Amino acid sequence: MNVLGINYFYHDSTACLVVDGRIAVAIEEERLTRDKHTTKFPRRAIARCLSEAGLSAADIDAIAVSIKPFKDWSAKVAYGLARPRSLKPFAMNEVAGGGLKQYHLRNWYRETWPEGGPQIHYVPHHTAHAVGTFLVSPYESAAILSIDGAGEWATSFLGEGTGTKVTRLAESYFPNSMGVFYEAPTEFCGFKANYDEGKTMGLAPFGDPEVYREAVDRMLTVRPDGAMVLDTSYFGFHGAPRCAPKFIAAFGNGRNGDGFEANHLNVAAAFQAVLEDKALELCAVLREKTQSRNLIIAGGVALNSVMNGRIVREAGFDDIYVMPAAGDNGTAIGAAIYVYNVVLGQPRVSVHDDPYLGTSYSDEYIDGVIRAAKLVAERHDDIASTVARLLADGRIVGWFQGRMEIGPRALGNRSILANPTLPGMKDKVNAEVKHREAFRPFAPSVQVEATGTYFDVIGESPFMLKVCPVRPEMWDRLPAITHVDGSARLHTVSRDTNPLFYDLIGKFGELTGTPVVLNTSFNIMGEPIVESPEQAMRCFFTTGIDALAMGSYLITKDPGAS
Ligand SMILES: [Fe+2]
């Protein structure tokens, strides 16, 4: 049985195929169209999912989309009528914007199946986030927390899952949103709201959270029943600036230009600290209501890996599960698996522990691309050893191998790698390759068995979604991946999930004594991660990357480097 999952309503449009209950392929539309975080209907991703799986449209038994368009409609109408001044942009977004999205879906459907095709199942957004994540988690039962900006109208979901059954314990509704709460400081710090929240998280350790903590704490309340209440007087909605005049009055002017003032840093720090505090309060409600030892975290806010790290350490659960595409991209998977397990009543057979669900290219194809460009490449039987040596020598290497990752993090198949033990390497990669803000840290990938030597973490972090302390005695050993507060966004690599990358890190460890590499996504700032060998070569030749390893082939700019 083949279920096509689609996220097309919000950002990060994505398609996936669930085949007999297993996630066979999942691809974000941005990787193919090069339009980062695209909101367009994922036509190309759908076509590519089918071709990668060797299927055609005729093979699809059901379609699952991660939105229920008319859900909570009466609440929306009541909200709009109560706010005459924002009625027009609100109605434009809900009616015109929503209608257009449906039009694109219907158009695609009619073109694909002119005589009629499989049934479309509309799955509520937080059901796709929360229930979908639970169903692909390794847990038979778990507490479930889903938090984002907003779905149809819900902004959070607290629940408990057992088998294929999920009970809802609490929900919050727009505008009471933790996502909205965190978008305001993102805009205040000069970043793009609903897009660059990771930058706010990276900036936070440079500020003092206590300066504004009390004031920020009063803006978001977690009620004993698990619902959230936002003091909306500080925030802007429906096209207005996210920081309302009252927000500016409380914290001063937002960032305008390159430099950060103390109030920008302190606002980022306070909002990050309070976000974590409130998430822990939600976890406490879940602990009390479920008595569960396992926790699922889903929704866009689950990409806040610093928050996740604190939940792991302080919330009292044994461990957490966050799917690699925790944001709206992952709802394509969540909706499809929900339809398979709950709507169609099939048993759970899938654990989403493999993030490598995208496209791949053979050595033969890569060789053809290199020849077509009239480039010289060397073929290496042991590409991992070759690249390990280059990294040990201080080279920056583009690493393009196997199937592309799903989700925003490069996990060793579309990665740029460097030596984390070299002082100055962070600045070098930032300045010569990534061209991004100097304050942003790079992540470490470590062989899972060596994790405890370098990092203080509970459990594994296979999807780079937990920030943890670097052991203080290792700060000097790992200067390029240790953030200003002594933390790191950890990626643990096991032999089972990525043997080649595991081998590379091991070889690097043999040469340097440290089985840890600096791993950043294979792209430059503002662009999606590369998908194809052609895109990888374009990035390689337009940046300061020293060598490019694609499949078994190595291309170097400096002939002496290999
Ligand atoms: Fe969402």
Side-chain angles (χ1 to χ4, degrees), residues 10 33 48 55 60 78 90 104 121 152 155 165 185 209 216 270 287 359-360 366 395 421 472 521 544:
Y10 304 104
T33 62
R48 201 61 185 273
L55 299 174
I60 296 175
F90 176 69
H104 289 307
H121 299 269
E152 296 87 356
T155 61
K165 196 166 166 33
V216 175
R287 285 273 293 129
T359 53
S360 67
I366 291 167
R395 311 277 177 175
T421 69
S521 53

Side-chain angles (χ1 to χ4, degrees), residues 10 125-126 129 148-150 299-300 327-328 331:
Y10 304 104
H125 189 70
H126 274 279
H129 269 313
D148 70 359
D328 284 353
T331 62

Side-chain angles (χ1 to χ4, degrees), residues 382-384 399 401-402 413 495 498-505 551:
D382 186 358
I383 193 75
W399 177 251
Q401 304 289 343
N413 280 8
R495 191 191 299 276
N498 197 332
L500 184 64
F501 193 44
Y502 179 89
D503 190 28
L504 164 64
I505 300 169

Side-chain angles (χ1 to χ4, degrees), residues 275-430:
L275 179 91
E276 296 165 19
D277 293 343
K278 301 300 175 183
L280 285 168
E281 288 181 37
L282 291 170
C283 290
V285 173
L286 277 169
R287 285 273 293 129
E288 190 199 318
K289 291 192 176 189
T290 70
Q291 307 296 317
S292 180
R293 303 302 311 159
N294 309 310
L295 175 67
I296 306 292
I297 313 179
V301 179
L303 292 171
N304 193 304
S305 44
V306 177
M307 176 193 81
N308 294 345
R310 229 182 122 193
I311 288 173
V312 171
R313 289 192 297 278
E314 298 180 29
F317 293 93
D318 289 344
D319 200 6
I320 63 171
Y321 175 81
V322 187
M323 70 155 63
D328 284 353
N329 31 18
T331 62
I333 294 172
I337 212 83
Y338 175 83
V339 166
Y340 183 81
N341 288 142
V342 178
V343 178
L344 303 176
Q346 299 296 313
R348 283 174 69 176
V349 292
S350 186
V351 174
H352 185 7
D353 52 4
D354 178 2
Y356 311 104
L357 296 171
T359 53
S360 67
Y361 293 86
S362 66
D363 262 6
E364 191 182 4
Y365 183 92
I366 291 167
D367 183 39
V369 171
I370 292 168
R371 285 174 190 275
K374 298 182 180 175
L375 291 168
V376 177
E378 290 176 4
R379 195 177 190 290
H380 292 262
D381 290 333
D382 186 358
I383 193 75
S385 291
T386 306
V387 170
R389 213 164 37 244
L390 289 168
L391 295 174
D393 289 345
R395 311 277 177 175
I396 302 169
V397 181
W399 177 251
F400 183 101
Q401 304 289 343
R403 297 184 72 182
M404 181 172 63
E405 301 89 341
I406 182 74
R409 306 280 166 252
L411 301 171
N413 280 8
R414 301 288 186 278
S415 290
I416 295 169
L417 307 175
N419 184 336
T421 69
L422 300 177
M425 185 53 83
K426 178 192 154 191
D427 292 340
K428 186 175 160 71
V429 176
N430 252 337

Side-chain angles (χ1 to χ4, degrees), residues 79-91 237-238 240:
Y79 174 88
L81 293 175
R83 290 163 180 79
R85 277 202 299 177
S86 40
L87 184 58
K88 193 175 170 190
F90 176 69
F237 300 91
H238 317 304

